[in-house]
Every structure is written in structure tokens, then in C-alpha cells.
Amino acid sequence: MVDLRKLRYFVAVAEERHIGRAAARLHITQPPLSRAIHRLEADLGAALFHRIPSGVELTEAGAILYADARSLLEQADRTEARVRAAVGPATLTVGSLADTAELVAGRIAAAFRRLRPDVSVHVHESDLTDPSAGLRAGLVDVALTRLPFQDAGLRNHVLHAEPVGLVVRDDDPLAARPAVQLADLPDRRWVQLPTGTDPVWRAYWTGAPDGDGHGAPMRTVQECLQAVLWSGMSALAPLDQVVPAGLVIVPVTDRPPSRLVVAWPAAGSSPLVRSFVRIAAETYRRAGTRGD
Amino acid sequence: MVDLRKLRYFVAVAEERHIGRAAARLHITQPPLSRAIHRLEADLGAALFHRIPSGVELTEAGAILYADARSLLEQADRTEARVRAAVGPATLTVGSLADTAELVAGRIAAAFRRLRPDVSVHVHESDLTDPSAGLRAGLVDVALTRLPFQDAGLRNHVLHAEPVGLVVRDDDPLAARPAVQLADLPDRRWVQLPTGTDPVWRAYWTGAPDGDGHGAPMRTVQECLQAVLWSGMSALAPLDQVVPAGLVIVPVTDRPPSRLVVAWPAAGSSPLVRSFVRIAAETYRRAGTRGD
DNA sequence: CGTCACCATACCGAGCCGGTATCGATCGAA
DNA sequence: TTCGATCGATACCGGCTCGGTATGGTGACG
């Protein structure tokens, strides 16, 4: 009947004296919090807050509950921490597609380490062959990677969307163009991705209509860039990709942005994985919205 | 994540060392409890029980959790009790159709008083006009009554089913019959129920095909019985109805049993109402199944 | 080697949670 | 007084959990 979640909500509202602000602090929206407080009041058969124009204020019964709820929640947290400490550190294996980890993992890792210091994180970096970054193979628990890939049994949350561009040498006639359309380009020699690469992924990242390319297959982003530099191949990359001197990225207007995601198995994901996903989403949401 | 319900389940299992027995103690079935324990273990990232052939036994982590969980739950209960005490006694108005309260309310009241001593119960007895016993009019929170009635917006739980019989004087030719079929009876003068009576209810309780009767309308069971005794009317009653000397009840074979129910509004019912319904159902289940 | 006693798993209907969209009320300012 | 702003409340929707029934898997024991 009375559960810890509602008590946490209640404490937040009591301290903020404002349902909207409390909702923001709890990272939910106002209506569910409003409803949760109503339910708690119904459960206890007591009005906990007076609704006043500027927000809410505790009733007498609310004050009594607040006095106890704080210590109750603290005790619950201590209990949980004690059990987690007894069972030893949990481990989480994070997959990372090529260089995506560089882009986001730092920020996420900091937040995750702060919130879940008891978890030891292993990182498994995979090459361009597998955009699921080891998820499909069961090598990792959760992955930081890019869409699109065949998502059979996988779920994802978009952390950041970045337009893609064509990687060319700075002496390429296209280099001076402010933007290009892939549809307008004459045939080019696209980099080849290894056989067995996810076809959806391959189709997205190579401009060739059949998703096929030329030359030796490239297994890393760096290899692709070097192929452009040395062999005059063409490649696509996110606009924020750091490229060696001598290369430029020309925005491509007729291809949807590349979405950087955190992905996890749809079924059987542990609470630890969910926690990681939530922290990643939250960390990047703040960053994405320019500091909330 | 970790909520009080799962902790209560965990404590029950830890003390019973047996999921099945713990489920019985918690008044749920074994599979949901089994699943809840698994979820709790996943949430905490710790195995809490060893599964052994005779049941389960606590792991080291489980023992640590058990040590804290007891006091945590006790503190939660104390907190809740404190708030309830501060807000004063809650009141629950129970509707009762005519004499149904006599049949069941005693047993239910005892159980309810024991489990919810803080609630003051008011009883509102209604006449045969309204089989919803005041629910439809909003006069009561919950009702003990009999089916059938038009149940728009009402829900119910059957406490007991009792065959119905024909009430006749002991000098009536039918009095000696072991049973009768309403379909075989010649026309009789059935008691009249007041205008405005729920039509479904009226059709059930009077043998007249159109659900109509003769004479002055009867508002109570006693009036109906007196009408049979003095005016030779016919009436239907549950077989266990206590009748004055000079009347007998002949079982009727072609009418479904009368179902004694606890009924409540489908929408907006308070936790207190749900609690009453649960207690009533449980009390009567035990009685109905002859002492479980 | 069958049977029994456990727990685990697979489904299903009901309710809760969190989301978006919108309403209602109150207060301050033009 | 009316308009806008700012609260909380309400209505609806998709997803998840819960508790139920039915059934499977696996050891112990005669």
C-alpha cells in the first residue's frame, strides 16, 4: 500500500513545497507526481498537503509523515547498500562501437561512477563489423553505438543526433562546397566494409546504392579515413568526426543524421543495465539540451 | 527499485524457508511470490536464497538483508500508524439490504474490527426498494446485499450462494412438497415490491412473469412474510431465511441460487473500501469452504 | 523407476506508472 | 475587468508489474 517510491516522491514535494519543482528534481513530469501524491493521501486516508496558489504546504499529518519518512528512506538506502556491499562489486560490460566511446563515455562514466561506485565497469570495443557492439554476440551487457542496425531483440535510446558528411581530401573539387547531395554525386569509389557487416548499417554508411564498396574492407574508422587520404576512396562520417589534416567533411543534405545511442537487450536486461541506460540518457539529455 | 512489498515477501519466505508456505501466509499463490523473490534478487544483484529440495534457505546476503528488513518494515508500519492516528479515525459506511447484515455482518465485523481497529463503521440499512443498499445513491461506501441488481458502475464479490424457496403457509397444499418448480405453479398472487424497485431484482424475487405483484407494496422482508401469513400472498426467500411459525419454505428448483455479495463502486473506491471487501471476502471464503 | 514435493516458467487480464495534451483556478498587471 | 502567467488537476495512452491458472523441470524417496 504505502511504498518507498511514493514516500520518496512525498519527501521531494514536502521539501520543494512545489509539485512542479519536485517533479523536476525527481526527473519525472508534474502530472504523475500530482497523481502519486493523491494516491498516497488516499492510501493513508489523510490530506498531506494544503494546495496554495504558490504551490503546496504540509498539513499536520504531512508534517508527521515527513518527520518519519526521511529516516525511513535513509534506513532503506543503508539496508540496500549493506546487501550490495556484502555481495561484492557487480560488473557491467559496456560495448563500444569503434570510437563512440571517446565521444560520450567520459561523461557517462563520470556520472555512472559517481552514482554507482560499487560497480566495476569493463569496456569492450568492437570494430565496424558489428554495430551492435557485441550485444548480439552476448559479449556485453549494454552498448554505446550508432544507429542504424538490425534491432532484432535490441532496444536503444538516442543520446545525440549528428548530421553526416562526406569525407574528402581538401584538394577534392567537392571540398569547397558548403554541402552536397549524395543523389547528385557522380559515381565514387566507396570504402568497403567487411563481409558479415550488418546490412542496414552498411547501407547507411556507404553512399553506394547497393551498400557495397571497393577495395579492402575497413575495420576501423581510422582505416576508412586513411583510405580516403591515400587511395581516394569516399566515406561518410559524422560531422563532428575528428579527421587528420588534409581531409575535410562536407555536409551531406540528403541523409538523416547519425544517431548515437545506448543500446541494450530488449529481454532479460538486469536492473544494472537499466540503471546504466538511465544514467546515460540523463547525462546526455543535459548535455544535449545545453545544460539543464 | 526495492519496495516494501517485496521486502515483506522476502521476510515471509525467509521465515518460512518455503515459498509455498510463505505464499499461503501472504494470501497469494506460489508463482507470483517465486517471481517476486527472483526480481528482488535481480534488483539487489545478489542471490538471497539457496534452493534446496525441502524449500529454500538464506544465503549470506539474504541473512544480511533479513536482519535489516524486519526493523525496516516495523518502522514503516509505525510511521503509517502514526499518520493514521494523527488524522483521527477513518469512517466507513456499510450499507445492508434489509436483513443481510444479520446473516454475515457479525462475522465480518469481528474480522474487520480486529484488522482495522482505527476505523469507525457506520451501518445504513436499506429496504427492499434498493438492492444496491444505498450504493447508487452514494449513501454508503460499501454494501452487503444480494444479487441480482442492475450493476451500472458497481462491482461485487460473492460471499455465499443460497438456493431460494417459495414461502407458503404450512396449511398450503404445496407445503408438503419436497420441492416445486415455479414453471409448474398455477397463477399465484405475488407480493408487490414498491415502485421504483430495481427491475432485475424485482423480476428475480417475484414469481410473476412480468415481475409485478398484487396488493400493497412490501418494504421489508418481515412485511412480505406477514403478507404470506395473513393475506395468502406468495413470496420467494432464501432457504436459510428464518420464518415465523406457521410458514415454511419449499425449495424452488428452477431458479438460480440467491448470491449474497459485498458490493462497491467500480470507480473511485478508497483503499478503505478495498480493505473491507478483501476482509469480507476472506472471512466468508473461510466460512464458505468450511474452515480453511 | 514411478511418484511426490518443491520451485520455475509461460501465458493472461487488471491495475499502476510515466508520458503528452489540456483544463480549471488563482493572482498580478495593464 | 480582462488578460496572461503559473500553479495543480484531469483525461487519455503505451508499457510494465502484479496476481492468477496451467504446466514444466528436477531432485528425493519409497
Side-chain angles (χ1 to χ4, degrees):
Chain A
M1 229 161 176
V2 175
D3 63 319
L4 292 177
R5 179 192 306 140
K6 289 205 192 73
L7 281 186
R8 288 186 207 279
Y9 286 7
F10 165 77
V11 167
V13 174
E15 292 178 349
E16 296 288 344
R17 301 191 196 302
H18 188 120
I19 294 189
R21 280 197 300 272
R25 175 169 137 187
L26 293 165
H27 305 303
I28 64 174
T29 53
Q30 171 259 324
L33 180 56
S34 200
R35 190 180 47 193
I37 296 298
H38 274 278
R39 273 200 219 282
L40 181 60
E41 289 179 318
D43 285 345
L44 290 171
L48 299 172
F49 294 103
H50 294 300
R51 273 68 174 179
I52 58 179
S54 64
V56 298
E57 65 182 16
L58 282 172
T59 62
E60 187 187 349
I64 291 174
L65 178 59
Y66 180 71
D68 284 12
R70 283 298 299 258
S71 66
L72 186 64
L73 292 175
E74 282 168 13
Q75 185 174 340
D77 291 342
R78 274 196 302 273
T79 295
E80 183 172 340
R82 217 165 298 170
V83 173
R84 287 190 191 281
V87 78
T91 66
L92 181 72
T93 306
V94 181
S96 166
L97 177 71
D99 60 333
T100 51
E102 298 174 14
L103 294 175
V104 295
R107 203 154 30 194
I108 294 173
F112 191 77
R113 217 169 28 239
R114 184 167 51 84
L115 293 170
R116 298 295 301 265
D118 55 317
V119 179
S120 73
V121 177
H122 301 172
V123 174
H124 177 92
E125 192 164 315
S126 66
D127 59 30
L128 296 180
T129 309
D130 177 22
S132 82
L135 270 181
R136 249 197 281 275
L139 297 174
V140 307
D141 301 314
V142 62
L144 296 168
T145 180
R146 291 183 184 277
L147 296 183
F149 50 80
Q150 292 184 336
D151 61 351
L154 299 182
R155 307 189 57 173
N156 65 77
H157 180 94
V158 175
L159 299 177
H160 183 59
E162 177 74 17
V164 294
L166 182 69
V167 184
V168 295
R169 281 203 295 253
D170 55 11
D171 60 354
D172 191 289
L174 294 174
R177 299 262 290 272
V180 297
Q181 274 194 300
L182 286 185
D184 294 348
L185 292 185
D187 282 350
R188 298 182 73 94
R189 292 172 50 242
W190 293 95
V191 293
Q192 169 82 295
L193 292 174
T195 57
T197 300
D198 186 297
V200 179
W201 165 268
R202 177 197 292 245
Y204 180 89
W205 284 110
T206 69
D210 55 357
D212 212 354
H214 295 79
M218 306 283 111
R219 305 197 71 91
T220 71
V221 175
Q222 296 310 321
E223 283 182 5
C224 291
L225 297 178
Q226 294 299 322
V228 176
L229 197 54
W230 292 92
S231 313
M233 311 292 283
S234 294
L236 291 171
L239 284 188
D240 57 1
Q241 173 70 48
V242 177
V243 293
L247 293 182
V248 296
I249 303 184
V250 184
V252 166
T253 56
D254 57 348
R255 179 143 303 202
S258 166
R259 284 158 293 164
L260 187 60
V261 300
V262 53
W264 65 98
S269 65
S270 73
L272 194 51
V273 169
R274 297 190 187 194
S275 174
F276 182 90
V277 170
R278 192 171 44 76
I279 291 171
E282 197 167 300
T283 303
Y284 230 79
R285 180 173 60 80
R286 288 186 193 153
T289 57
R290 201 51 211 92
D292 169 24
Chain B
M1 229 162 176
V2 176
D3 64 317
L4 293 178
R5 179 192 300 137
K6 289 205 191 74
L7 281 186
R8 287 185 208 279
Y9 286 5
F10 165 77
V11 166
V13 173
E15 293 178 349
E16 297 287 345
R17 303 189 195 293
H18 188 121
I19 295 188
R21 280 197 299 273
R25 174 169 138 187
L26 294 166
H27 304 301
I28 63 174
T29 53
Q30 172 260 322
L33 180 56
S34 199
R35 188 181 49 194
I37 296 298
H38 274 277
R39 271 202 221 286
L40 181 60
E41 290 179 319
D43 285 345
L44 290 171
L48 300 173
F49 294 103
H50 293 301
R51 274 67 174 178
I52 58 179
S54 63
V56 297
E57 63 181 16
L58 282 171
T59 62
E60 186 185 351
I64 291 174
L65 178 59
Y66 180 73
D68 284 12
R70 282 299 298 257
S71 67
L72 185 64
L73 292 175
E74 281 168 14
Q75 185 175 341
D77 291 342
R78 275 197 302 272
T79 296
E80 182 172 341
R82 217 165 297 171
V83 174
R84 287 191 192 279
V87 79
T91 66
L92 181 72
T93 306
V94 181
S96 165
L97 177 71
D99 59 334
T100 51
E102 298 174 16
L103 294 175
V104 295
R107 205 154 27 194
I108 294 172
F112 190 76
R113 216 167 33 237
R114 183 167 52 84
L115 292 171
R116 298 297 301 265
D118 55 316
V119 179
S120 74
V121 176
H122 300 171
V123 174
H124 178 91
E125 192 165 316
S126 67
D127 60 30
L128 296 180
T129 310
D130 177 22
S132 83
L135 270 181
R136 248 196 281 276
L139 299 174
V140 306
D141 301 312
V142 64
L144 297 168
T145 180
R146 289 180 184 278
L147 296 183
F149 50 80
Q150 292 185 335
D151 62 349
L154 300 182
R155 308 190 57 173
N156 66 74
H157 179 94
V158 175
L159 299 177
H160 182 61
E162 177 75 19
V164 294
L166 181 70
V167 183
V168 296
R169 282 203 295 251
D170 55 10
D171 59 354
D172 190 289
L174 295 175
R177 300 264 289 272
V180 297
Q181 274 195 299
L182 287 184
D184 294 347
L185 292 185
D187 283 351
R188 299 181 71 94
R189 293 170 51 240
W190 293 94
V191 293
Q192 169 83 297
L193 292 173
T195 57
T197 299
D198 186 296
V200 178
W201 166 266
R202 178 197 291 245
Y204 180 87
W205 284 109
T206 69
D210 55 356
D212 213 355
H214 294 81
M218 306 284 109
R219 304 197 74 90
T220 70
V221 174
Q222 296 311 318
E223 283 182 5
C224 290
L225 297 178
Q226 293 299 319
V228 175
L229 196 54
W230 293 92
S231 311
M233 311 291 284
S234 294
L236 292 171
L239 284 188
D240 56 3
Q241 173 71 46
V242 177
V243 293
L247 293 182
V248 296
I249 304 183
V250 184
V252 165
T253 56
D254 57 348
R255 178 142 303 202
S258 166
R259 284 158 293 165
L260 187 59
V261 300
V262 53
W264 66 99
S269 65
S270 72
L272 194 50
V273 169
R274 297 190 188 195
S275 174
F276 182 89
V277 170
R278 193 171 43 77
I279 291 171
E282 198 167 299
T283 302
Y284 231 80
R285 181 175 60 78
R286 290 186 192 154
T289 56
R290 201 52 211 91
D292 171 23

